[in-house]
Amino acid sequence: NGTRNKTAYQLNEHFEYYGSYVNRNCYNETATITLHCLARHLEALLPVVREMLVDAIFPEEEIRIYKQNMKQRLNVNMKKSDFVAGRLIDVYLYGEKHPYGKYSSAEDFDALQQEQIKAFYKKYYQQGRLVIFASGRLPTDLEEQLNKYFGDLPNGEIPSIDTPITPATEKKYRIINDEAGVQGSIRLARPFPNRHHPDFLKAQVLNALFGGFFGSRLMLNIREDKGYTYGIHSYLQNHISQSAWLVSTEAGREVSEATIEEVHKEMKDLREELVDDEELLLVRNYMMGSILGDLDGPFQIMARWKNIILNGLDEKYFYDSMAAIKSVTAEELQQLAQKYLNPEDFYELVVV
């Protein structure tokens, strides 16, 4: 939206002139500015990145356009079953007042005021905690440049926001978002500990076996055998505080209930039967191969480091995760399935 010295158009022009790419994203706990450029252009680009961090002005006209665009986008998305399902399942898990469960409405955008945005910007950007990650062919004076343009920033502590989760009491939900809809967006989810919990690493192996890759049991059964869906996946949410274990898919309206039954069947099989050596080896090889792929190049390595550091972990976590993949036994996976893969613990949602 521009700074005191540059309009939004001039900012974009500046980065494009140097053949660079800058992107901004905001997540549940973090906001990021990402810069890709040639090392020799850092001296011209870092001052402008700093300007974005500390000198944005949020003009009223830009806020008006933003509100209008976001309400239009929201109106379109609310007609999509997968979008609605993604919003609702988080509400059931965490409660609509929790940061993980809260979602935006048209009224929220209408109520947004310039002073609110500036106060948030001052607290979390100008005076918040700053972490810088750099990777690639780095210049020898990189640390000097970073200190020159960012070394004087306050880098304050993030205030603790202890919002208790208020999960829904009801477990099963069927939502008709479109009477004429032919597809059901299916979400099953249960609360799960974060990455600091001792079960997390081995549960990732169980998740891969259950629904974490193309050769998983959910995919082989519900996609390949039954043909109910083009794809079905399970995953552990990457939240810093609380987390959750989710199953996500889109299926035909008439087979949505049958799809859920098959998910329950795969949970039951994992609770009652030991995985055989061949299947466990397949999962291990897939997970180790994925890690090797994630380490192919400096940007991918940095992405993994970011995840470790921002979750309050250290390099030991990486080696522990490798060890867990290599050493977890079929008996341990069965025990984890008996502990975590019980249908009665999962919220069950179908949005048509």
Side-chain angles (χ1 to χ4, degrees):
N1 54 56
T3 65
R4 282 184 294 179
N5 297 319
K6 292 182 178 66
T7 64
Y9 178 78
Q10 289 171 326
L11 286 172
N12 289 330
E13 284 285 294
H14 184 83
F15 288 108
E16 287 184 8
Y17 177 80
Y18 289 98
S20 61
Y21 170 75
V22 66
N23 192 27
R24 302 154 309 285
N25 281 299
C26 189
Y27 307 98
N28 288 98
E29 293 100 351
T30 59
T32 64
I33 295 178
T34 305
L35 172 67
H36 295 273
C37 68
L38 297 177
R40 66 174 181 267
H41 295 153
L42 277 173
E43 189 68 37
L45 295 172
L46 289 181
V48 184
V49 174
R50 176 197 167 93
E51 198 173 331
M52 294 167 61
L53 271 175
V54 303
D55 204 23
I57 57 173
F58 308 103
E60 287 283 7
E61 178 61 15
E62 294 283 352
I63 295 174
R64 186 192 66 78
I65 294 172
Y66 169 80
K67 288 181 179 182
Q68 178 179 309
N69 290 343
M70 292 304 293
K71 287 194 293 182
Q72 289 175 347
R73 184 183 303 174
L74 179 62
N75 187 50
V76 171
N77 285 335
M78 286 300 293
K79 298 175 183 177
K80 302 175 182 177
S81 61
D82 59 336
F83 179 81
V84 174
R87 286 157 65 99
L88 291 178
I89 198 65
D90 285 340
V91 172
Y92 304 151
L93 283 165
Y94 304 110
E96 62 182 0
K97 300 299 183 183
H98 192 278
Y100 293 165
K102 184 175 176 58
Y103 56 76
S104 301
S105 66
E107 292 75 19
D108 291 328
F109 291 121
D110 286 334
L112 198 59
Q113 299 296 319
Q114 184 187 55
E115 290 309 311
Q116 292 175 306
I117 299 173
K118 287 184 174 181
F120 186 92
Y121 176 68
K122 179 178 180 180
K123 184 175 183 179
Y124 292 105
Y125 286 76
Q126 294 176 325
Q127 299 176 353
R129 183 176 176 230
L130 173 66
V131 181
I132 298 176
F133 299 90
S135 60
R137 183 172 292 178
L138 304 175
T140 56
D141 65 340
L142 175 66
E143 186 173 351
E144 179 183 333
Q145 290 194 56
L146 293 177
N147 278 324
K148 177 180 178 181
Y149 295 113
F150 304 103
D152 63 327
L153 297 183
N155 200 26
E157 287 300 315
I158 298 297
S160 176
I161 303 175
D162 186 17
T163 307
I165 63 171
T166 54
T169 54
E170 187 179 340
K171 290 290 187 179
K172 295 186 178 183
Y173 297 86
R174 302 295 184 268
I175 308 294
I176 303 299
N177 192 57
D178 179 3
E179 290 289 350
V182 297
Q183 178 174 277
S185 293
I186 302 168
R187 303 291 184 271
L188 288 83
R190 62 151 297 151
F192 193 78
N194 64 17
R195 292 176 181 271
H196 294 269
H197 193 278
D199 286 343
F200 193 92
L201 292 176
K202 291 180 179 179
Q204 286 186 308
V205 182
L206 176 60
N207 176 70
L209 173 66
F210 178 47
F213 75 116
F214 194 82
S216 69
R217 293 193 177 189
L218 290 180
M219 284 289 282
L220 292 177
N221 177 356
I222 297 171
R223 181 188 189 276
E224 298 296 313
D225 183 35
K226 303 298 188 300
Y228 291 161
T229 180
Y230 286 113
I232 182 168
H233 308 280
S234 65
Y235 59 95
L236 303 176
Q237 283 186 336
N238 187 25
H239 289 332
I240 292 175
S241 184
Q242 295 93 357
S243 186
W245 198 333
L246 276 83
V247 177
S248 174
T249 189
E250 327 302 322
R253 183 173 184 170
E254 72 283 356
V255 296
S256 292
E257 300 301 330
T259 298
I260 293 174
E261 289 178 11
E262 292 302 322
V263 174
H264 291 168
K265 174 182 176 295
E266 295 302 334
M267 290 181 180
K268 183 174 183 288
D269 287 348
L270 287 168
R271 293 195 310 270
E272 296 182 354
E273 300 175 13
L274 291 173
V275 57
D276 62 49
D277 292 342
E278 183 178 357
E279 188 177 15
L280 183 53
L281 179 62
L282 173 67
V283 171
R284 283 186 175 136
N285 288 341
Y286 163 76
M287 295 186 73
M288 295 296 289
S290 295
I291 290 174
L292 289 175
D294 288 344
L295 300 178
D296 182 20
F299 301 137
Q300 289 85 346
I301 293 173
M302 184 52 67
R304 184 167 285 271
W305 267 112
K306 279 176 60 180
N307 198 36
I308 289 173
I309 292 171
L310 295 177
N311 275 279
L313 302 163
D314 56 28
E315 63 185 52
K316 183 175 180 293
Y317 179 83
F318 173 78
Y319 295 107
D320 287 346
S321 64
M322 301 280 283
I325 295 169
K326 294 178 180 178
S327 66
V328 66
T329 65
E331 289 77 13
E332 287 175 312
L333 293 177
Q334 184 181 38
Q335 290 168 9
L336 287 170
Q338 291 167 350
K339 185 175 180 180
Y340 293 112
L341 296 183
N342 297 289
E344 61 269 20
D345 295 331
F346 279 74
Y347 290 99
E348 190 180 292
L349 170 65
V350 180
V351 178
V352 176

